[in-house]
Amino acid sequence: EDKVVQSPLSLVVHEGDTVTLNCSYEVTNFRSLLWYKQEKKAPTFLFMLTSSGIEKKSGRLSSILDKKELSSILNITATQTGDSAIYLCAVVRDDKIIFGKGTRLHILP
Amino acid sequence: SQTIHQWPATLVQPVGSPLSLECTVEGTSNPNLYWYRQAAGRGLQLLFYSVGIGQISSEVPQNLSASRPQDRQFILSSKKLLLSDSGFYLCAYSQGYNSPLHFGNGTRLTVT
């Protein structure tokens, strides 16, 4: 059975801290891995990872895929209160896209 | 440019009533279409996906059904809602496994 597991499920840190969110997967016919940020409504796209070991970066956020370990991490440096959100990881296998349960991140001012 | 429309934004329905949520995509052809449900503050559960007109794959046996009557239209339905159908329903599209998923604004359904 296909599985996407995110950890931790929730995290509370202080502004300025660095956080690392984890996503591991067990799927057949893996195509790519997606990261999303969700605040009040629909998730917004952050990164798409297809190749192992190549870091994707956008401002204070970065992500990398490890196909050997079947996992990915999302790093956020110098966190701000606006980073408070649910972070979702999803794995694309053929035409099916499976999400993990998400990590709820709360940044304290 | 590509856009996705989903309506209504909120809906309150009594138990046993029917449901129809509609989603349309503009600016692209032959998209893959998806319906997800999200419980309060948690991950997204895949309900249905479609790779073409009339082609529906169901992921979770339940009280819901989906249809794709046109290339860029995806409809989620129920004949009789249950309390457990309450949740946040999201429609999404992609252009295939090499492109990301794009979401509509979602419908918050409360069954009373």
Side-chain angles (χ1 to χ4, degrees):
Chain A
E1 185 187 334
D2 299 325
K3 204 176 350 180
V4 179
V5 179
Q6 292 187 245
S7 63
L9 289 182
S10 66
L11 187 57
V12 181
V13 300
H14 286 94
E15 205 168 18
D17 288 350
T18 292
V19 298
T20 298
L21 310 182
N22 300 285
C23 177
S24 63
Y25 59 90
E26 289 179 33
V27 300
T28 52
N29 298 326
F30 172 89
R31 299 291 190 176
S32 59
L33 187 143
L34 307 170
W35 282 100
Y36 287 84
K37 177 183 181 183
Q38 185 180 26
E39 296 173 90
K40 299 284 184 191
K41 289 198 171 180
T44 53
F45 172 70
L46 294 175
F47 298 110
M48 180 173 186
L49 305 162
T50 53
S51 301
S52 209
I54 298 174
E55 186 183 52
K56 292 272 182 102
K57 201 168 167 63
S58 175
R60 297 175 293 102
L61 278 67
S62 64
S63 184
I64 195 161
L65 175 68
D66 186 337
K67 284 187 179 180
K68 191 175 173 186
E69 296 296 324
L70 305 182
S71 66
S72 173
I73 59 170
L74 174 69
N75 280 321
I76 308 175
T77 59
T79 52
Q80 302 171 357
T81 54
D83 295 326
S84 294
I86 296 175
Y87 289 85
L88 297 163
C89 168
V91 170
V92 181
R93 54 148 292 185
D94 297 326
D95 296 308
K96 193 170 150 180
I97 303 176
I98 304 154
F99 281 80
K101 292 187 186 300
T103 293
R104 182 183 286 276
L105 176 64
H106 185 65
I107 310 296
L108 298 169
Chain B
S1 65
Q2 301 164 0
T3 55
I4 176 168
H5 303 280
Q6 185 182 343
W7 65 93
T10 58
L11 193 58
V12 180
Q13 292 283 104
V15 167
S17 64
L19 172 74
S20 181
L21 301 181
E22 189 165 339
C23 172
T24 59
V25 180
E26 294 178 359
T28 184
S29 59
N30 199 30
N32 290 348
L33 297 172
Y34 302 82
W35 279 111
Y36 289 90
R37 178 169 62 200
Q38 185 176 34
R42 295 317 325 178
L44 276 60
Q45 179 189 32
L46 179 60
L47 302 176
F48 301 95
Y49 67 98
S50 170
V51 299
I53 296 174
Q55 300 179 58
I56 308 294
S57 296
S58 173
E59 286 301 300
V60 183
Q62 57 206 334
N63 188 39
L64 301 169
S65 62
S67 61
R68 184 171 178 172
Q70 299 179 45
D71 181 44
R72 290 171 288 178
Q73 184 185 28
F74 206 23
I75 298 171
L76 183 69
S77 304
S78 173
K79 291 182 181 176
K80 285 187 178 182
L81 284 168
L82 306 171
L83 285 173
S84 57
D85 291 325
S86 294
F88 189 48
Y89 288 82
L90 286 157
C91 179
Y93 78 92
S94 80
Q95 284 299 119
Y97 54 77
N98 280 329
S99 65
L101 201 57
H102 301 279
F103 288 90
N105 284 331
T107 296
R108 197 163 299 281
L109 172 67
T110 304
V111 182
T112 60

